[in-house]
Amino acid sequence: MTGPAGALRIRAVAVAVRDDEVLVVLRERDGRSYAVLPGGAVESGGTPQEACLRELREETGLDGVVEELLPVGVDRDAPAVYLRVRVTGDEPVLGPSSPEARRTTAENRYRPTWVGIDTLGDIGLVPERAVRAVSAAS
């Protein structure tokens, strides 16, 4: 993931945990099913907190408040910061004007939902740092 002139872009990822559930985006892409946490690139001049909340809103329709940076380390190849977020609202819905909604096809689907933390292995949450972030947030 690179930005202008090949500069490495950092992703900001929302880790929203309530009771024994975590907010994920279930993905179906090219015949593969897996899950990711809501998140995306920090824009030039923006902060990770701003990017985290923007992506949370776009990908789930929920607003939130950043509570803390989670200590999961940074991958050099795909740098991301994981932020614990307290969300407002219950039912996540993909924002109709979000980039993900525009990219949705029969072969490429996004479905935001709450899942039990104990099911993360079954749903294939990726990458591994996301699993560690959920563990740190719960």
Side-chain angles (χ1 to χ4, degrees), residues 74-123:
V74 176
D75 182 337
R76 290 182 198 206
D77 296 325
V81 294
Y82 291 84
L83 301 156
R84 182 192 344 230
V85 174
R86 180 176 27 87
V87 298
T88 55
D90 287 327
E91 293 305 315
V93 177
L94 184 62
S97 61
S98 70
E100 291 78 13
R102 291 191 301 270
R103 289 192 299 259
T104 297
T105 66
E107 296 80 29
N108 185 33
R109 290 186 254 187
Y110 300 79
R111 186 169 65 91
T113 190
W114 292 98
V115 299
I117 292 173
D118 60 347
T119 67
L120 294 181
D122 299 330
I123 64 170

mmCIF file of all heavy atoms in Angstrom, residues 74-123:
data_model
loop_
_atom_site.group_PDB
_atom_site.id
_atom_site.type_symbol
_atom_site.label_atom_id
_atom_site.label_comp_id
_atom_site.label_asym_id
_atom_site.label_seq_id
_atom_site.Cartn_x
_atom_site.Cartn_y
_atom_site.Cartn_z
ATOM 1 N N VAL A 74 3.837 -3.043 14.719
ATOM 2 C CA VAL A 74 3.583 -2.598 13.348
ATOM 3 C C VAL A 74 4.301 -3.511 12.377
ATOM 4 O O VAL A 74 5.487 -3.807 12.549
ATOM 5 C CB VAL A 74 4.056 -1.135 13.153
ATOM 6 C CG1 VAL A 74 3.888 -0.688 11.714
ATOM 7 C CG2 VAL A 74 3.299 -0.204 14.080
ATOM 8 N N ASP A 75 3.596 -3.959 11.365
ATOM 9 C CA ASP A 75 4.159 -4.763 10.293
ATOM 10 C C ASP A 75 4.830 -3.814 9.298
ATOM 11 O O ASP A 75 4.191 -2.890 8.797
ATOM 12 C CB ASP A 75 3.036 -5.553 9.616
ATOM 13 C CG ASP A 75 3.507 -6.460 8.512
ATOM 14 O OD1 ASP A 75 4.586 -6.217 7.931
ATOM 15 O OD2 ASP A 75 2.795 -7.420 8.213
ATOM 16 N N ARG A 76 6.092 -4.029 8.989
ATOM 17 C CA ARG A 76 6.813 -3.127 8.078
ATOM 18 C C ARG A 76 6.234 -3.123 6.668
ATOM 19 O O ARG A 76 6.260 -2.105 5.985
ATOM 20 C CB ARG A 76 8.278 -3.522 7.987
ATOM 21 C CG ARG A 76 9.045 -3.243 9.225
ATOM 22 C CD ARG A 76 10.482 -3.623 9.019
ATOM 23 N NE ARG A 76 11.135 -3.753 10.302
ATOM 24 C CZ ARG A 76 12.411 -3.591 10.477
ATOM 25 N NH1 ARG A 76 13.186 -3.325 9.463
ATOM 26 N NH2 ARG A 76 12.928 -3.712 11.672
ATOM 27 N N ASP A 77 5.726 -4.263 6.215
ATOM 28 C CA ASP A 77 5.214 -4.360 4.849
ATOM 29 C C ASP A 77 3.825 -3.753 4.685
ATOM 30 O O ASP A 77 3.477 -3.277 3.613
ATOM 31 C CB ASP A 77 5.189 -5.816 4.388
ATOM 32 C CG ASP A 77 6.584 -6.414 4.323
ATOM 33 O OD1 ASP A 77 7.526 -5.671 3.977
ATOM 34 O OD2 ASP A 77 6.732 -7.606 4.634
ATOM 35 N N ALA A 78 3.022 -3.795 5.736
ATOM 36 C CA ALA A 78 1.661 -3.256 5.686
ATOM 37 C C ALA A 78 1.375 -2.566 7.011
ATOM 38 O O ALA A 78 0.643 -3.091 7.849
ATOM 39 C CB ALA A 78 0.653 -4.374 5.420
ATOM 40 N N PRO A 79 1.969 -1.387 7.222
ATOM 41 C CA PRO A 79 1.832 -0.739 8.530
ATOM 42 C C PRO A 79 0.398 -0.328 8.838
ATOM 43 O O PRO A 79 -0.300 0.236 8.003
ATOM 44 C CB PRO A 79 2.746 0.484 8.432
ATOM 45 C CG PRO A 79 2.954 0.708 6.985
ATOM 46 C CD PRO A 79 2.769 -0.607 6.299
ATOM 47 N N ALA A 80 -0.017 -0.660 10.059
ATOM 48 C CA ALA A 80 -1.364 -0.303 10.515
ATOM 49 C C ALA A 80 -1.318 -0.040 12.009
ATOM 50 O O ALA A 80 -0.550 -0.675 12.734
ATOM 51 C CB ALA A 80 -2.340 -1.433 10.207
ATOM 52 N N VAL A 81 -2.131 0.903 12.437
ATOM 53 C CA VAL A 81 -2.328 1.131 13.863
ATOM 54 C C VAL A 81 -3.734 0.664 14.205
ATOM 55 O O VAL A 81 -4.673 0.870 13.428
ATOM 56 C CB VAL A 81 -2.107 2.605 14.262
ATOM 57 C CG1 VAL A 81 -0.658 3.005 14.077
ATOM 58 C CG2 VAL A 81 -3.017 3.540 13.515
ATOM 59 N N TYR A 82 -3.852 0.007 15.335
ATOM 60 C CA TYR A 82 -5.129 -0.528 15.787
ATOM 61 C C TYR A 82 -5.599 0.296 16.971
ATOM 62 O O TYR A 82 -4.876 0.441 17.955
ATOM 63 C CB TYR A 82 -4.977 -2.004 16.164
ATOM 64 C CG TYR A 82 -4.726 -2.866 14.960
ATOM 65 C CD1 TYR A 82 -3.447 -3.025 14.445
ATOM 66 C CD2 TYR A 82 -5.780 -3.502 14.317
ATOM 67 C CE1 TYR A 82 -3.222 -3.805 13.322
ATOM 68 C CE2 TYR A 82 -5.563 -4.286 13.196
ATOM 69 C CZ TYR A 82 -4.282 -4.428 12.705
ATOM 70 O OH TYR A 82 -4.066 -5.194 11.589
ATOM 71 N N LEU A 83 -6.806 0.838 16.848
ATOM 72 C CA LEU A 83 -7.354 1.734 17.861
ATOM 73 C C LEU A 83 -8.645 1.153 18.438
ATOM 74 O O LEU A 83 -9.558 0.802 17.683
ATOM 75 C CB LEU A 83 -7.650 3.099 17.238
ATOM 76 C CG LEU A 83 -6.426 3.786 16.627
ATOM 77 C CD1 LEU A 83 -6.830 4.774 15.567
ATOM 78 C CD2 LEU A 83 -5.624 4.456 17.708
ATOM 79 N N ARG A 84 -8.684 1.055 19.776
ATOM 80 C CA ARG A 84 -9.930 0.612 20.400
ATOM 81 C C ARG A 84 -10.930 1.748 20.270
ATOM 82 O O ARG A 84 -10.617 2.906 20.549
ATOM 83 C CB ARG A 84 -9.745 0.264 21.865
ATOM 84 C CG ARG A 84 -11.072 -0.235 22.455
ATOM 85 C CD ARG A 84 -11.148 -0.369 23.950
ATOM 86 N NE ARG A 84 -9.935 -0.368 24.663
ATOM 87 C CZ ARG A 84 -9.597 -1.275 25.590
ATOM 88 N NH1 ARG A 84 -10.403 -2.265 25.860
ATOM 89 N NH2 ARG A 84 -8.462 -1.172 26.244
ATOM 90 N N VAL A 85 -12.151 1.396 19.839
ATOM 91 C CA VAL A 85 -13.193 2.381 19.584
ATOM 92 C C VAL A 85 -14.467 1.962 20.312
ATOM 93 O O VAL A 85 -14.845 0.787 20.291
ATOM 94 C CB VAL A 85 -13.474 2.485 18.067
ATOM 95 C CG1 VAL A 85 -14.643 3.399 17.777
ATOM 96 C CG2 VAL A 85 -12.237 2.944 17.324
ATOM 97 N N ARG A 86 -15.098 2.908 20.956
ATOM 98 C CA ARG A 86 -16.432 2.688 21.522
ATOM 99 C C ARG A 86 -17.423 3.206 20.493
ATOM 100 O O ARG A 86 -17.372 4.370 20.094
ATOM 101 C CB ARG A 86 -16.591 3.442 22.847
ATOM 102 C CG ARG A 86 -17.957 3.260 23.492
ATOM 103 C CD ARG A 86 -18.057 3.934 24.850
ATOM 104 N NE ARG A 86 -17.194 5.083 25.071
ATOM 105 C CZ ARG A 86 -17.506 6.333 24.752
ATOM 106 N NH1 ARG A 86 -18.655 6.613 24.171
ATOM 107 N NH2 ARG A 86 -16.651 7.323 25.005
ATOM 108 N N VAL A 87 -18.325 2.349 20.027
ATOM 109 C CA VAL A 87 -19.256 2.749 18.971
ATOM 110 C C VAL A 87 -20.603 3.145 19.553
ATOM 111 O O VAL A 87 -20.981 2.707 20.635
ATOM 112 C CB VAL A 87 -19.465 1.647 17.905
ATOM 113 C CG1 VAL A 87 -18.169 1.327 17.206
ATOM 114 C CG2 VAL A 87 -20.086 0.408 18.497
ATOM 115 N N THR A 88 -21.303 3.986 18.783
ATOM 116 C CA THR A 88 -22.671 4.345 19.116
ATOM 117 C C THR A 88 -23.556 3.721 18.045
ATOM 118 O O THR A 88 -23.197 3.712 16.868
ATOM 119 C CB THR A 88 -22.856 5.869 19.152
ATOM 120 O OG1 THR A 88 -22.432 6.424 17.908
ATOM 121 C CG2 THR A 88 -22.026 6.491 20.266
ATOM 122 N N GLY A 89 -24.665 3.182 18.464
ATOM 123 C CA GLY A 89 -25.556 2.487 17.546
ATOM 124 C C GLY A 89 -25.332 0.990 17.642
ATOM 125 O O GLY A 89 -24.325 0.532 18.180
ATOM 126 N N ASP A 90 -26.283 0.237 17.132
ATOM 127 C CA ASP A 90 -26.232 -1.217 17.263
ATOM 128 C C ASP A 90 -25.998 -1.955 15.959
ATOM 129 O O ASP A 90 -25.140 -2.808 15.857
ATOM 130 C CB ASP A 90 -27.527 -1.748 17.883
ATOM 131 C CG ASP A 90 -27.633 -1.440 19.361
ATOM 132 O OD1 ASP A 90 -26.589 -1.420 20.029
ATOM 133 O OD2 ASP A 90 -28.754 -1.219 19.825
ATOM 134 N N GLU A 91 -26.804 -1.638 14.966
ATOM 135 C CA GLU A 91 -26.799 -2.430 13.740
ATOM 136 C C GLU A 91 -25.912 -1.817 12.664
ATOM 137 O O GLU A 91 -26.219 -0.751 12.138
ATOM 138 C CB GLU A 91 -28.227 -2.598 13.209
ATOM 139 C CG GLU A 91 -29.095 -3.440 14.114
ATOM 140 C CD GLU A 91 -28.499 -4.807 14.420
ATOM 141 O OE1 GLU A 91 -28.001 -5.476 13.487
ATOM 142 O OE2 GLU A 91 -28.511 -5.195 15.593
ATOM 143 N N PRO A 92 -24.813 -2.489 12.334
ATOM 144 C CA PRO A 92 -23.940 -1.968 11.283
ATOM 145 C C PRO A 92 -24.537 -2.168 9.895
ATOM 146 O O PRO A 92 -25.187 -3.181 9.626
ATOM 147 C CB PRO A 92 -22.662 -2.792 11.455
ATOM 148 C CG PRO A 92 -23.104 -4.047 12.118
ATOM 149 C CD PRO A 92 -24.306 -3.702 12.943
ATOM 150 N N VAL A 93 -24.325 -1.184 9.044
ATOM 151 C CA VAL A 93 -24.798 -1.226 7.655
ATOM 152 C C VAL A 93 -23.730 -0.581 6.784
ATOM 153 O O VAL A 93 -23.225 0.497 7.117
ATOM 154 C CB VAL A 93 -26.128 -0.452 7.492
ATOM 155 C CG1 VAL A 93 -26.577 -0.431 6.042
ATOM 156 C CG2 VAL A 93 -27.205 -1.020 8.379
ATOM 157 N N LEU A 94 -23.398 -1.208 5.685
ATOM 158 C CA LEU A 94 -22.427 -0.641 4.752
ATOM 159 C C LEU A 94 -22.969 0.672 4.211
ATOM 160 O O LEU A 94 -24.088 0.735 3.699
ATOM 161 C CB LEU A 94 -22.173 -1.626 3.608
ATOM 162 C CG LEU A 94 -21.112 -1.246 2.591
ATOM 163 C CD1 LEU A 94 -19.740 -1.121 3.240
ATOM 164 C CD2 LEU A 94 -21.065 -2.287 1.480
ATOM 165 N N GLY A 95 -22.179 1.734 4.345
ATOM 166 C CA GLY A 95 -22.603 3.044 3.851
ATOM 167 C C GLY A 95 -22.832 3.013 2.350
ATOM 168 O O GLY A 95 -21.961 2.574 1.606
ATOM 169 N N PRO A 96 -23.999 3.455 1.863
ATOM 170 C CA PRO A 96 -24.321 3.346 0.435
ATOM 171 C C PRO A 96 -23.387 4.135 -0.476
ATOM 172 O O PRO A 96 -23.217 3.775 -1.636
ATOM 173 C CB PRO A 96 -25.752 3.867 0.337
ATOM 174 C CG PRO A 96 -25.986 4.629 1.596
ATOM 175 C CD PRO A 96 -25.064 4.076 2.635
ATOM 176 N N SER A 97 -22.745 5.175 0.032
ATOM 177 C CA SER A 97 -21.835 5.951 -0.810
ATOM 178 C C SER A 97 -20.369 5.611 -0.537
ATOM 179 O O SER A 97 -19.482 6.277 -1.054
ATOM 180 C CB SER A 97 -22.077 7.449 -0.613
ATOM 181 O OG SER A 97 -21.823 7.792 0.739
ATOM 182 N N SER A 98 -20.131 4.587 0.267
ATOM 183 C CA SER A 98 -18.752 4.224 0.599
ATOM 184 C C SER A 98 -18.051 3.586 -0.601
ATOM 185 O O SER A 98 -18.698 3.033 -1.494
ATOM 186 C CB SER A 98 -18.736 3.232 1.767
ATOM 187 O OG SER A 98 -19.238 1.977 1.347
ATOM 188 N N PRO A 99 -16.723 3.671 -0.630
ATOM 189 C CA PRO A 99 -15.978 2.998 -1.708
ATOM 190 C C PRO A 99 -16.280 1.500 -1.772
ATOM 191 O O PRO A 99 -16.356 0.922 -2.851
ATOM 192 C CB PRO A 99 -14.514 3.254 -1.340
ATOM 193 C CG PRO A 99 -14.542 4.481 -0.491
ATOM 194 C CD PRO A 99 -15.846 4.424 0.257
ATOM 195 N N GLU A 100 -16.485 0.874 -0.598
ATOM 196 C CA GLU A 100 -16.789 -0.556 -0.570
ATOM 197 C C GLU A 100 -18.123 -0.852 -1.242
ATOM 198 O O GLU A 100 -18.250 -1.833 -1.968
ATOM 199 C CB GLU A 100 -16.787 -1.070 0.879
ATOM 200 C CG GLU A 100 -15.422 -1.087 1.523
ATOM 201 C CD GLU A 100 -14.938 0.277 1.986
ATOM 202 O OE1 GLU A 100 -15.729 1.250 2.042
ATOM 203 O OE2 GLU A 100 -13.741 0.386 2.293
ATOM 204 N N ALA A 101 -19.117 -0.002 -1.010
ATOM 205 C CA ALA A 101 -20.424 -0.205 -1.647
ATOM 206 C C ALA A 101 -20.298 -0.089 -3.162
ATOM 207 O O ALA A 101 -20.913 -0.860 -3.903
ATOM 208 C CB ALA A 101 -21.443 0.802 -1.117
ATOM 209 N N ARG A 102 -19.479 0.838 -3.627
ATOM 210 C CA ARG A 102 -19.290 1.003 -5.075
ATOM 211 C C ARG A 102 -18.527 -0.170 -5.690
ATOM 212 O O ARG A 102 -18.693 -0.458 -6.866
ATOM 213 C CB ARG A 102 -18.566 2.318 -5.363
ATOM 214 C CG ARG A 102 -19.439 3.540 -5.057
ATOM 215 C CD ARG A 102 -18.838 4.833 -5.578
ATOM 216 N NE ARG A 102 -17.528 5.135 -5.033
ATOM 217 C CZ ARG A 102 -17.309 5.844 -3.928
ATOM 218 N NH1 ARG A 102 -18.334 6.310 -3.234
ATOM 219 N NH2 ARG A 102 -16.095 6.103 -3.516
ATOM 220 N N ARG A 103 -17.713 -0.849 -4.885
ATOM 221 C CA ARG A 103 -16.947 -1.999 -5.398
ATOM 222 C C ARG A 103 -17.685 -3.319 -5.241
ATOM 223 O O ARG A 103 -17.202 -4.354 -5.687
ATOM 224 C CB ARG A 103 -15.603 -2.104 -4.672
ATOM 225 C CG ARG A 103 -14.633 -1.021 -5.036
ATOM 226 C CD ARG A 103 -13.229 -1.341 -4.518
ATOM 227 N NE ARG A 103 -13.160 -1.458 -3.075
ATOM 228 C CZ ARG A 103 -12.704 -0.507 -2.252
ATOM 229 N NH1 ARG A 103 -12.300 0.646 -2.739
ATOM 230 N NH2 ARG A 103 -12.654 -0.713 -0.963
ATOM 231 N N THR A 104 -18.849 -3.311 -4.598
ATOM 232 C CA THR A 104 -19.581 -4.544 -4.346
ATOM 233 C C THR A 104 -20.145 -5.120 -5.642
ATOM 234 O O THR A 104 -20.774 -4.416 -6.436
ATOM 235 C CB THR A 104 -20.718 -4.308 -3.342
ATOM 236 O OG1 THR A 104 -20.147 -3.906 -2.096
ATOM 237 C CG2 THR A 104 -21.554 -5.557 -3.128
ATOM 238 N N THR A 105 -19.883 -6.410 -5.841
ATOM 239 C CA THR A 105 -20.426 -7.170 -6.962
ATOM 240 C C THR A 105 -20.840 -8.535 -6.420
ATOM 241 O O THR A 105 -20.644 -8.825 -5.238
ATOM 242 C CB THR A 105 -19.371 -7.368 -8.075
ATOM 243 O OG1 THR A 105 -18.322 -8.208 -7.568
ATOM 244 C CG2 THR A 105 -18.807 -6.050 -8.569
ATOM 245 N N ALA A 106 -21.327 -9.395 -7.285
ATOM 246 C CA ALA A 106 -21.688 -10.747 -6.857
ATOM 247 C C ALA A 106 -20.463 -11.516 -6.365
ATOM 248 O O ALA A 106 -20.567 -12.407 -5.527
ATOM 249 C CB ALA A 106 -22.356 -11.499 -8.002
ATOM 250 N N GLU A 107 -19.277 -11.181 -6.880
ATOM 251 C CA GLU A 107 -18.043 -11.874 -6.505
ATOM 252 C C GLU A 107 -17.235 -11.137 -5.440
ATOM 253 O O GLU A 107 -16.225 -11.641 -4.968
ATOM 254 C CB GLU A 107 -17.135 -12.067 -7.727
ATOM 255 C CG GLU A 107 -17.705 -12.962 -8.809
ATOM 256 C CD GLU A 107 -18.704 -12.219 -9.701
ATOM 257 O OE1 GLU A 107 -18.560 -10.988 -9.865
ATOM 258 O OE2 GLU A 107 -19.631 -12.870 -10.201
ATOM 259 N N ASN A 108 -17.640 -9.937 -5.091
ATOM 260 C CA ASN A 108 -16.894 -9.114 -4.137
ATOM 261 C C ASN A 108 -17.891 -8.441 -3.197
ATOM 262 O O ASN A 108 -18.460 -7.414 -3.522
ATOM 263 C CB ASN A 108 -16.059 -8.068 -4.887
ATOM 264 C CG ASN A 108 -15.170 -7.276 -3.968
ATOM 265 O OD1 ASN A 108 -14.676 -7.772 -2.963
ATOM 266 N ND2 ASN A 108 -14.956 -6.019 -4.314
ATOM 267 N N ARG A 109 -18.098 -9.060 -2.006
ATOM 268 C CA ARG A 109 -19.120 -8.562 -1.088
ATOM 269 C C ARG A 109 -18.538 -8.159 0.263
ATOM 270 O O ARG A 109 -17.566 -8.739 0.716
ATOM 271 C CB ARG A 109 -20.179 -9.624 -0.872
ATOM 272 C CG ARG A 109 -21.021 -9.826 -2.110
ATOM 273 C CD ARG A 109 -22.119 -10.760 -1.814
ATOM 274 N NE ARG A 109 -21.773 -12.028 -2.453
ATOM 275 C CZ ARG A 109 -22.562 -13.051 -2.519
ATOM 276 N NH1 ARG A 109 -23.738 -13.005 -1.953
ATOM 277 N NH2 ARG A 109 -22.189 -14.139 -3.130
ATOM 278 N N TYR A 110 -19.210 -7.181 0.867
ATOM 279 C CA TYR A 110 -18.841 -6.660 2.188
ATOM 280 C C TYR A 110 -20.097 -6.714 3.056
ATOM 281 O O TYR A 110 -21.143 -6.222 2.653
ATOM 282 C CB TYR A 110 -18.423 -5.194 2.091
ATOM 283 C CG TYR A 110 -17.248 -4.910 1.191
ATOM 284 C CD1 TYR A 110 -17.397 -4.851 -0.193
ATOM 285 C CD2 TYR A 110 -15.984 -4.667 1.725
ATOM 286 C CE1 TYR A 110 -16.319 -4.571 -1.015
ATOM 287 C CE2 TYR A 110 -14.907 -4.388 0.903
ATOM 288 C CZ TYR A 110 -15.076 -4.339 -0.457
ATOM 289 O OH TYR A 110 -14.017 -4.054 -1.266
ATOM 290 N N ARG A 111 -19.960 -7.295 4.257
ATOM 291 C CA ARG A 111 -21.106 -7.315 5.175
ATOM 292 C C ARG A 111 -20.629 -7.033 6.593
ATOM 293 O O ARG A 111 -20.050 -7.894 7.253
ATOM 294 C CB ARG A 111 -21.825 -8.655 5.133
ATOM 295 C CG ARG A 111 -23.106 -8.641 5.979
ATOM 296 C CD ARG A 111 -23.972 -9.849 5.739
ATOM 297 N NE ARG A 111 -23.364 -11.087 6.147
ATOM 298 C CZ ARG A 111 -23.491 -11.647 7.357
ATOM 299 N NH1 ARG A 111 -24.205 -11.043 8.293
ATOM 300 N NH2 ARG A 111 -22.917 -12.786 7.634
ATOM 301 N N PRO A 112 -20.858 -5.798 7.081
ATOM 302 C CA PRO A 112 -20.469 -5.493 8.455
ATOM 303 C C PRO A 112 -21.423 -6.165 9.435
ATOM 304 O O PRO A 112 -22.636 -6.193 9.214
ATOM 305 C CB PRO A 112 -20.579 -3.972 8.519
ATOM 306 C CG PRO A 112 -21.585 -3.614 7.471
ATOM 307 C CD PRO A 112 -21.464 -4.654 6.400
ATOM 308 N N THR A 113 -20.863 -6.709 10.510
ATOM 309 C CA THR A 113 -21.684 -7.398 11.495
ATOM 310 C C THR A 113 -20.914 -7.571 12.798
ATOM 311 O O THR A 113 -19.688 -7.479 12.828
ATOM 312 C CB THR A 113 -22.145 -8.774 10.966
ATOM 313 O OG1 THR A 113 -23.123 -9.313 11.848
ATOM 314 C CG2 THR A 113 -20.987 -9.745 10.823
ATOM 315 N N TRP A 114 -21.647 -7.814 13.866
ATOM 316 C CA TRP A 114 -21.049 -8.181 15.143
ATOM 317 C C TRP A 114 -20.924 -9.698 15.181
ATOM 318 O O TRP A 114 -21.870 -10.399 14.818
ATOM 319 C CB TRP A 114 -21.929 -7.725 16.303
ATOM 320 C CG TRP A 114 -22.015 -6.243 16.478
ATOM 321 C CD1 TRP A 114 -23.005 -5.420 16.027
ATOM 322 C CD2 TRP A 114 -21.075 -5.404 17.151
ATOM 323 N NE1 TRP A 114 -22.739 -4.113 16.377
ATOM 324 C CE2 TRP A 114 -21.557 -4.080 17.076
ATOM 325 C CE3 TRP A 114 -19.866 -5.642 17.815
ATOM 326 C CZ2 TRP A 114 -20.880 -3.005 17.641
ATOM 327 C CZ3 TRP A 114 -19.200 -4.567 18.388
ATOM 328 C CH2 TRP A 114 -19.700 -3.273 18.290
ATOM 329 N N VAL A 115 -19.780 -10.203 15.612
ATOM 330 C CA VAL A 115 -19.578 -11.646 15.754
ATOM 331 C C VAL A 115 -18.996 -11.934 17.134
ATOM 332 O O VAL A 115 -18.343 -11.073 17.729
ATOM 333 C CB VAL A 115 -18.643 -12.227 14.667
ATOM 334 C CG1 VAL A 115 -19.222 -12.017 13.277
ATOM 335 C CG2 VAL A 115 -17.240 -11.661 14.765
ATOM 336 N N GLY A 116 -19.214 -13.129 17.598
ATOM 337 C CA GLY A 116 -18.636 -13.534 18.871
ATOM 338 C C GLY A 116 -17.122 -13.606 18.774
ATOM 339 O O GLY A 116 -16.587 -14.123 17.793
ATOM 340 N N ILE A 117 -16.438 -13.089 19.783
ATOM 341 C CA ILE A 117 -14.977 -13.130 19.779
ATOM 342 C C ILE A 117 -14.487 -14.565 19.684
ATOM 343 O O ILE A 117 -13.477 -14.836 19.032
ATOM 344 C CB ILE A 117 -14.416 -12.417 21.032
ATOM 345 C CG1 ILE A 117 -14.697 -10.917 20.925
ATOM 346 C CG2 ILE A 117 -12.926 -12.685 21.209
ATOM 347 C CD1 ILE A 117 -14.342 -10.116 22.159
ATOM 348 N N ASP A 118 -15.232 -15.497 20.270
ATOM 349 C CA ASP A 118 -14.817 -16.900 20.221
ATOM 350 C C ASP A 118 -14.961 -17.531 18.838
ATOM 351 O O ASP A 118 -14.547 -18.664 18.631
ATOM 352 C CB ASP A 118 -15.580 -17.718 21.268
ATOM 353 C CG ASP A 118 -17.088 -17.687 21.058
ATOM 354 O OD1 ASP A 118 -17.582 -16.850 20.272
ATOM 355 O OD2 ASP A 118 -17.786 -18.499 21.704
ATOM 356 N N THR A 119 -15.514 -16.806 17.860
ATOM 357 C CA THR A 119 -15.668 -17.356 16.500
ATOM 358 C C THR A 119 -14.625 -16.821 15.523
ATOM 359 O O THR A 119 -14.678 -17.137 14.336
ATOM 360 C CB THR A 119 -17.068 -17.040 15.928
ATOM 361 O OG1 THR A 119 -17.186 -15.627 15.715
ATOM 362 C CG2 THR A 119 -18.178 -17.537 16.838
ATOM 363 N N LEU A 120 -13.683 -16.002 15.994
ATOM 364 C CA LEU A 120 -12.730 -15.371 15.080
ATOM 365 C C LEU A 120 -11.938 -16.385 14.269
ATOM 366 O O LEU A 120 -11.660 -16.159 13.089
ATOM 367 C CB LEU A 120 -11.781 -14.437 15.841
ATOM 368 C CG LEU A 120 -12.448 -13.213 16.458
ATOM 369 C CD1 LEU A 120 -11.416 -12.348 17.155
ATOM 370 C CD2 LEU A 120 -13.217 -12.420 15.420
ATOM 371 N N GLY A 121 -11.571 -17.501 14.858
ATOM 372 C CA GLY A 121 -10.855 -18.542 14.114
ATOM 373 C C GLY A 121 -11.724 -19.144 13.028
ATOM 374 O O GLY A 121 -11.241 -19.450 11.930
ATOM 375 N N ASP A 122 -13.004 -19.279 13.293
ATOM 376 C CA ASP A 122 -13.924 -19.878 12.325
ATOM 377 C C ASP A 122 -14.203 -18.961 11.143
ATOM 378 O O ASP A 122 -14.411 -19.439 10.025
ATOM 379 C CB ASP A 122 -15.256 -20.238 12.990
ATOM 380 C CG ASP A 122 -15.092 -21.244 14.112
ATOM 381 O OD1 ASP A 122 -14.153 -22.068 14.045
ATOM 382 O OD2 ASP A 122 -15.894 -21.197 15.058
ATOM 383 N N ILE A 123 -14.231 -17.661 11.370
ATOM 384 C CA ILE A 123 -14.566 -16.734 10.279
ATOM 385 C C ILE A 123 -13.342 -16.246 9.520
ATOM 386 O O ILE A 123 -13.467 -15.552 8.522
ATOM 387 C CB ILE A 123 -15.406 -15.535 10.774
ATOM 388 C CG1 ILE A 123 -14.605 -14.675 11.754
ATOM 389 C CG2 ILE A 123 -16.727 -15.998 11.358
ATOM 390 C CD1 ILE A 123 -15.273 -13.360 12.083
#
